[in-house]
Amino acid sequence: SLAKADQIDCPILVLYSSNDAIVPPNLSLRLFQALPDPKYLEALPDIGHNDLFDSQFAISFMKKHIKCE
């Protein structure tokens, strides 16, 4: 949420699409602007809200930044 964006203390990826029927792209962009660095923004053309794993960029980001032990 925008109210808690400044509390993030890890790399964050904001994904958005003009085809998202749940979260309008302008809200994703507002959230991105409020986040501290490091932050990454990726536009996913022709993808819906629940199609995250269709994005090779998103998968690569998660593999790099999420540690599972």
Side-chain angles (χ1 to χ4, degrees), residues 51-67:
D51 300 325
L52 173 64
F53 293 104
D54 291 342
S55 166
Q56 210 46 39
F57 180 88
I59 293 169
S60 296
F61 181 91
M62 287 185 277
K63 286 180 179 178
K64 179 178 178 182
H65 294 286
I66 297 174
K67 308 263 189 278

Side-chain angles (χ1 to χ4, degrees), residues 2-64:
L2 284 172
K4 297 191 182 234
D6 63 345
Q7 297 174 22
I8 302 291
D9 65 353
C10 63
I12 190 161
L13 171 63
V14 175
L15 302 171
Y16 75 97
S17 173
S18 58
N19 290 343
D20 192 329
I22 297 173
V23 178
N26 66 318
L27 293 182
S28 297
L29 296 173
R30 283 180 54 205
L31 177 62
F32 179 77
Q33 292 169 344
L35 292 166
D37 289 326
K39 61 185 175 181
Y40 306 90
L41 180 67
E42 181 71 13
L44 304 175
D46 303 322
I47 195 169
H49 184 83
N50 294 311
D51 300 325
L52 173 64
F53 293 104
D54 291 342
S55 166
Q56 210 46 39
F57 180 88
I59 293 169
S60 296
F61 181 91
M62 287 185 277
K63 286 180 179 178
K64 179 178 178 182

